[in-house]
Amino acid sequence: VVTPLNIGRASSRRLLEADWTVFGLDVAATRLGAVAGEFASYQDRFRPVRCDVADAASVVDAFAAIGAAVPALNALVCCAGVLRTGLMAEMPVAEFDLVLNVNTRGTFLAAQQALPLLRRGASPDNPSRVVLLSSLAALRPKVVSGAYAASKAAVSQLCRVMAAEWAPSGVLVNALAPGTVDTPMVQ
């Protein structure tokens, strides 16, 4: 049996296997607890932090807690996302807002709040890194995925602007645009 992993959990596992300390952010406390249990063998290097990326105050609080725990960050992976499908003519405004608030605004908020810690972790020989999750949908939208495609196109553009603005301070920003990945969100 193959259990689909979300991208954040899979990324966390790879970083933990490479001896990184990982702060895992998620809106669902039960999911955070399950992932923390799964990563128990990594001792105290996986640190769960409850955070709703669509809520600015929650993001500020989460990164304040991270900043209190460590002096700097070496990397940030922004991969929180939601998918709501429907024809644009029929999509409820609340669902459209949810997709944009989590996928685009949440990415912006997390990156913005992490930036001071990332700058502190950067050096000329070893810049800090930001990886944003865009999507192939940003380039090739499909019928019924308009809100998702728009949110990911915005993430791609945010990446370009952040990359230009933040590179001089030693923070490199890139985006990945995967196709469909077998994750619980897609299922």
Side-chain angles (χ1 to χ4, degrees):
V1 173
V2 175
T3 304
L5 289 178
N6 64 32
I7 293 170
R9 190 160 85 206
S11 299
S12 294
R13 173 172 285 129
R14 293 287 303 268
L15 292 168
L16 289 164
E17 289 170 351
D19 292 327
W20 287 56
T21 296
V22 175
F23 291 88
L25 281 62
D26 199 307
V27 67
T30 55
R31 195 166 39 231
L32 272 174
V35 172
E38 180 183 329
F39 292 157
S41 64
Y42 295 105
Q43 305 292 329
D44 63 344
R45 289 188 297 109
F46 180 77
R47 301 179 187 178
V49 177
R50 189 180 173 304
C51 179
D52 178 356
V53 297
D55 176 11
S58 180
V59 176
V60 168
D61 290 347
F63 281 94
I66 293 167
V70 294
L73 291 176
N74 302 105
L76 173 71
V77 178
C78 291
C79 59
V82 296
L83 172 66
R84 297 295 184 270
T85 58
L87 296 171
M88 297 283 29
E90 300 168 4
M91 178 167 273
V93 171
E95 288 195 2
F96 183 88
D97 287 348
L98 175 67
V99 172
L100 273 286
N101 284 337
V102 171
N103 297 359
T104 305
R105 186 172 183 262
T107 294
F108 159 73
L109 290 169
Q112 183 186 55
Q113 291 303 307
L115 183 59
L117 294 168
L118 291 162
R119 284 181 171 153
R120 279 188 230 135
S123 71
D125 296 333
N126 191 18
S128 292
R129 313 278 178 168
V130 175
V131 178
L132 309 180
L133 263 287
S134 181
S135 170
L136 201 54
L139 304 169
R140 292 189 302 211
K142 298 182 287 191
V143 172
V144 305
S145 68
Y148 184 79
S151 74
K152 292 304 186 170
V155 167
S156 294
Q157 198 62 20
L158 279 174
C159 175
R160 291 176 182 100
V161 173
M162 288 177 186
E165 290 180 359
W166 298 358
S169 64
V171 179
L172 303 183
V173 184
N174 291 282
L176 299 176
T180 303
V181 177
D182 185 17
T183 65
M185 180 182 83
V186 170
Q187 292 182 353

